[in-house]
Amino acid sequence: MADYTKMWKSLGIDIENHNALLAGLGQAYTDIFLSQKNRPEGMKYFDFVMSEVHGLRIKEIVDAKAEGRKVIGSYCVFVPEELVLAVDGVAIGLCAGAELGFEAAEALLPRNTCSLIKSMFGFKLGKLCPYVESCDVIVGENTCDGKKKAYEIFRPLVKDLYVMDLPQTKSETGRMVLKEEYRKFIAKLEKESGKKITVQSLRKGIEIVNAKRKAMIRLAAVRAADPAPISGLDALLINQVFFHDDPVRFTDSVNKLCDELEQRVKDHKGVFPKGTTRVIVSGCPMAVPNWKLPMIIETSNAVIVGEESCVGERGTRWLTDIKGNTVEELLDAITDRYFNVDCAVFTPNPSRVSHVKDMVKKLHADGVIHYSLQFCQPYIIESGPVEKELEKSHIPTLRLETDYSQEDAGQLKTRIEAFNERLKKK
Amino acid sequence: MRYAGIDIGSRTVKLAVIEDGRLVLSRKSATSHNPLGIAHELMEGVDYDRLTATGYGRHLIKGHLDCPVVSEITAFVRGSRFFSNDCESILDIGGQDTKAISLDKDGNLCKFEMNDRCAAGTGRFLEVMATVLGFTLEEFSLAALSAKRAEKINSMCTVFAESEVVSLVTQGADRNEVALGIHKAIISRAAGLLKRVAPSGKIFFAGGVALNGCARSLLEQETDRPVFVPPDPQIVGAVGAALVASENS
Ligand code: SF4
Ligand code: SF4
């Protein structure tokens, strides 16, 4: 990697903290990803992206800013990338997946806060993340109570926090709320960028994002094969890179990878032997570099064949209808698309479990591992009914609750091995 | 053929050898700071054709003894069937973990749960409390059994419970009643875990805490279900691992 110190300094990054972060990240990446066997050639692109995650990509973002484009960061899949692209902005996902800066975070937040929120504060307070530091606007969204109250404390820490409200029910009023929030967001984007959203620009934005999602849907589909053509770790990584790479280049690379994977399937080649136990991971989002659980699963004689998660199918599986002829009609289509997202903050939320069941069938999974971050009420509370419903349909389910620390790795390994032994026997 | 199983627990290492479907040897020793050395000591002069490791330290031993591993959960499931063929659930309270397991009619694993992270409600918890009260482990159980009523222990965190016990004693509470209170606290917690996973049927009680007579009778009272304790409840995991070794041959 070239020397980016100057660029980082200009963004206000704490160089010492940041060096430590990069060193740790590099080591973890080597141990977890590069050590895998039979990896597809197409992963080279993603290895490169990861090696330059705070380098080249940030330079691109800094260059885009110099051209007057606005950088919009967000923490949730409810913030439509289509709208950001329609004002020629750069959209980046900011969710942080590492236990960094937690002490500083805990000075502002209760200790019993989920790791996702603590990490969001930790990255900001530790001046660690060049993505966060390069944002012109950060969009918060009122999903769970944890996040919505945390944004109140987060506001003074960042340059411009824009908070969007979200409905909690899938009702007609709920849909209206969402649409109005998106309308307000458009106004904010137009003001920030000085550009007006037109039918053409919005269509173009939708097309770019649709293409990106289609590539992810294609990737999800090839994983139905046995032997699995790609590891769950690699697939998760792609789902994570989805949030910060340039969308067009990303789409291209995923499609190229899929060409290779489809060929592998024809040749009956895979990353694990045929007949390896297959699991789906369902639950909370897994932001970079939160790889603990998938790593343990895939070193315990099982392969992950799908992620029912916002960093996974919950974030990618629907496309936006492009037929509309006015901005209003396209906005309706966007609202419809996002209104499908079955996050646990909705009540009730039956479509999520039926989607998990569909995935199990489509991907020929043997069981489901339900992952909740500690203190995440929506997902932990929903995990009970999800487990019941799945077991009722004879889908073995293991519920796990964990955080970003490594201290429970041994316990998790015991649970996961036992679960895999249960699945293998069937 | 002789099949061996070794269970490297956080407190005790256990070894079992099975031949012609019979348990022909079992040994155990405290884990200490050197579990690998203890394992080697236990295995000295033991003759076997196949070995499988289980327990907390199974991956540690795997590289050194070149043997397959199996999780404790599966090992307990197999081991329990060796001693009893009609238990529908297993409660294992070990040195560091509590596990609750439910079985189907054929003795296959259905569901399981483990305590989270800390030592609350495990054998370690009992050990610490016995020491605070100045009992050996054997005296501790007998003292609790002799009490007519129990002092209420509110905290399940080992550190907080320790100070709670100290302050009860300095306020003049009866030592035996405090002992009973401690037993009640851990058993009601373990029973809660068990009820969630396996709500009915005979309970197979394994792990070091099953040696404790007070814990055993409290478990019966608390769940209102029959409780079966094998002759040596600490050896169940090792026997299960030996059975897994025999199945894989
Ligand atoms: S889990 Fe809910 S709140 Fe979190 S990113 Fe997904 S949709 Fe947003
Ligand atoms: S993990 Fe759960 S509690 Fe944390 S931000 Fe996401 S939804 Fe909220």
Side-chain angles (χ1 to χ4, degrees):
Chain A
M1 193 161 77
D3 188 4
Y4 293 108
T5 314
K6 228 174 105 199
M7 174 178 82
W8 291 329
K9 272 199 183 133
S10 75
L11 288 170
I13 295 291
D14 180 319
I15 300 295
E16 209 174 302
N17 281 353
H18 185 252
N19 283 346
L21 165 67
L22 279 195
L25 201 63
Q27 191 55 48
Y29 195 78
T30 308
D31 294 348
I32 297 173
F33 287 91
L34 302 181
S35 67
Q36 299 178 96
K37 289 197 200 101
N38 309 326
R39 287 180 88 213
E41 275 297 301
M43 284 311 295
K44 293 233 163 78
Y45 170 76
F46 298 94
D47 291 341
F48 176 71
V49 170
M50 281 310 285
S51 70
E52 285 286 346
V53 68
H54 283 190
L56 260 192
R57 180 64 186 137
I58 297 298
K59 185 167 180 308
E60 285 176 0
I61 290 171
V62 170
D63 292 348
K65 275 164 80 91
E67 284 167 27
R69 295 173 65 192
K70 293 293 163 190
V71 179
I72 314 294
S74 64
Y75 289 104
C76 169
V77 298
F78 267 104
V79 180
E81 189 174 349
E82 292 91 332
L83 298 179
V84 177
L85 295 180
V87 295
D88 196 27
V90 180
I92 40 183
L94 294 175
C95 267
E99 193 171 33
L100 285 167
F102 274 26
E103 247 167 72
E106 282 170 14
L108 300 178
L109 295 164
R111 274 196 55 126
N112 294 359
T113 305
C114 80
S115 296
L116 208 62
I117 294 175
K118 271 197 221 168
S119 188
M120 151 182 145
F121 275 69
F123 274 45
K124 176 68 214 175
L125 294 166
K127 302 201 182 86
L128 277 167
C129 177
Y131 292 94
V132 171
E133 300 308 325
S134 47
C135 285
D136 295 297
V137 179
I138 290 182
V139 186
E141 55 353 279
N142 289 342
T143 42
C144 69
D145 287 353
K147 270 203 196 172
K148 90 184 157 213
K149 297 309 286 183
Y151 288 133
E152 295 172 12
I153 308 173
F154 200 56
R155 184 181 295 285
L157 306 178
V158 296
K159 190 164 105 202
D160 186 359
L161 181 75
Y162 176 83
V163 175
M164 175 183 286
D165 209 15
L166 279 190
Q168 296 179 15
T169 57
K170 297 280 175 87
S171 57
E172 198 31 53
T173 9
R175 191 188 168 283
M176 265 158 58
V177 169
L178 191 65
K179 187 174 168 196
E180 283 321 299
E181 285 299 317
Y182 286 167
R183 200 194 299 283
K184 276 194 246 163
F185 185 46
I186 289 179
K188 168 74 181 171
L189 288 169
E190 288 182 335
K191 179 164 157 259
E192 211 46 47
S193 65
K195 292 190 183 108
K196 193 109 186 95
I197 288 186
T198 63
V199 175
Q200 284 72 25
S201 75
L202 189 48
R203 239 201 219 129
K204 186 162 159 237
I206 296 175
E207 270 162 6
I208 291 173
V209 183
N210 273 354
K212 169 159 122 165
R213 294 202 180 107
K214 259 191 215 145
M216 295 308 285
I217 294 170
R218 193 177 156 201
L219 174 66
V222 290
R223 295 168 73 194
D226 184 17
I230 184 169
S231 68
L233 272 165
D234 279 339
L236 171 67
L237 183 76
I238 298 167
N239 272 296
Q240 290 174 332
V241 170
F242 179 93
F243 291 95
H244 16 217
D245 198 8
D246 172 78
V248 177
R249 184 176 56 204
F250 174 85
T251 305
D252 228 43
S253 311
V254 175
N255 278 321
K256 271 206 202 93
L257 173 75
C258 287
D259 293 340
E260 183 189 349
L261 297 182
E262 282 161 7
Q263 187 56 45
R264 275 187 166 207
V265 172
K266 278 197 201 117
D267 300 341
H268 305 289
K269 277 212 299 234
V271 281
F272 292 95
K274 192 176 162 66
T276 301
T277 305
R278 303 162 68 85
V279 299
I280 281 168
V281 176
S282 168
C284 283
M286 284 195 194
V288 198
N290 179 11
W291 303 314
K292 174 173 72 174
L293 188 67
M295 206 262 295
I296 298 177
I297 296 173
E298 293 206 325
T299 51
S300 302
N301 304 317
V303 54
I304 300 168
V305 293
E307 298 76 26
E308 193 277 328
S309 159
C310 290
V311 181
E313 288 203 13
R314 204 186 303 129
T316 54
R317 71 185 176 116
W318 300 276
L319 301 180
T320 302
D321 192 343
I322 201 143
K323 281 202 297 287
N325 291 315
T326 59
V327 169
E328 186 65 20
E329 281 169 17
L330 290 172
L331 179 60
D332 265 318
I334 289 176
T335 308
D336 287 340
R337 189 261 162 208
Y338 283 88
F339 205 48
N340 288 318
V341 175
D342 36 19
C343 172
V345 299
F346 281 92
T347 180
N349 189 33
S351 67
R352 182 173 159 229
V353 66
S354 47
H355 180 225
V356 180
K357 281 194 209 165
D358 286 350
M359 284 179 74
V360 169
K361 218 188 267 151
K362 255 196 252 160
L363 299 167
H364 313 291
D366 300 302
V368 173
I369 295 184
H370 191 285
Y371 157 78
S372 311
L373 279 170
Q374 216 177 6
F375 310 121
C376 170
Q377 282 169 353
Y379 282 92
I380 291 175
I381 296 179
E382 198 165 281
S383 72
V386 166
E387 176 189 38
K388 241 199 213 128
E389 185 62 33
L390 293 177
E391 291 272 356
K392 219 172 69 199
S393 313
H394 308 290
I395 301 168
T397 306
L398 175 69
R399 278 196 287 162
L400 297 176
E401 212 181 296
T402 182
D403 58 14
Y404 292 172
S405 75
Q406 293 301 324
E407 64 184 42
D408 62 345
Q411 272 222 355
L412 285 176
K413 187 148 178 68
T414 299
R415 288 177 206 216
I416 289 167
E417 280 182 9
F419 183 64
N420 293 342
E421 286 157 4
R422 175 185 171 200
L423 297 182
K424 216 165 111 200
K425 243 186 13 280
K426 290 197 317 157
Chain B
M1 296 277 269
R2 285 164 74 92
Y3 303 103
I6 188 154
D7 176 357
I8 303 164
S10 64
R11 310 287 295 164
T12 322
V13 183
K14 290 84 79 176
L15 174 72
V17 178
I18 292 206
E19 188 173 16
D20 297 330
R22 278 179 315 119
L23 180 62
V24 293
L25 176 143
S26 74
R27 291 180 178 173
K28 54 192 171 193
S29 180
T31 303
S32 85
H33 61 280
N34 179 13
L36 195 60
I38 300 288
H40 276 302
E41 258 170 51
L42 281 183
M43 316 249 327
E44 222 167 82
V46 175
D47 176 32
Y48 61 85
D49 299 294
R50 260 202 160 72
L51 170 74
T52 295
T54 189
Y56 170 78
R58 64 192 179 285
H59 290 287
L60 172 83
I61 206 99
K62 181 167 120 187
H64 291 272
L65 297 174
D66 191 29
C67 63
V69 296
V70 66
S71 72
E72 295 100 290
I73 318 281
T74 299
F76 274 101
V77 169
R78 297 305 150 76
S80 73
R81 286 282 139 165
F82 184 84
F83 296 103
S84 136
N85 49 24
D86 62 346
C87 288
E88 287 161 54
S89 50
I90 304 170
L91 178 68
D92 161 53
I93 311 185
Q96 197 168 282
D97 288 326
T98 302
K99 301 181 196 75
I101 303 170
S102 72
L103 305 172
D104 67 14
K105 283 191 302 305
D106 307 321
N108 292 318
L109 168 62
C110 276
K111 298 259 2 147
F112 65 90
E113 260 186 51
M114 283 165 74
N115 65 312
D116 283 310
R117 307 187 178 215
C118 70
T122 65
R124 180 83 191 121
F125 183 85
L126 277 182
E127 267 175 28
V128 171
M129 297 314 144
T131 311
V132 174
L133 288 172
F135 288 126
T136 64
L137 270 182
E138 293 72 34
E139 291 165 354
F140 190 38
S141 158
L142 293 176
L145 279 170
S146 75
K148 287 208 184 51
R149 57 173 288 278
E151 279 291 345
K152 177 130 181 58
I153 305 297
N154 295 300
S155 182
M156 281 307 284
C157 161
T158 314
V159 176
F160 288 133
E162 189 174 343
S163 31
E164 203 179 329
V165 166
V166 170
S167 85
L168 277 171
V169 173
T170 50
Q171 284 161 28
D174 180 86
R175 246 189 356 150
N176 297 354
E177 291 177 0
V178 177
L180 183 58
I182 293 164
H183 281 77
K184 277 203 153 156
I186 90 149
I187 290 302
S188 79
R189 190 177 171 122
L193 188 70
L194 185 71
K195 281 181 207 159
R196 264 213 309 275
V197 180
S200 63
K202 191 163 165 186
I203 301 164
F204 186 98
F205 191 14
V209 175
L211 293 167
N212 178 314
C214 180
R216 216 151 43 191
S217 68
L218 285 175
L219 181 63
E220 249 153 1
Q221 281 168 34
E222 179 81 28
T223 58
D224 205 14
R225 286 155 62 179
V227 172
F228 172 82
V229 179
D232 182 352
Q234 283 179 291
I235 206 81
V236 178
V239 168
L243 291 171
V244 171
S246 76
E247 285 163 24
N248 290 344
S249 66

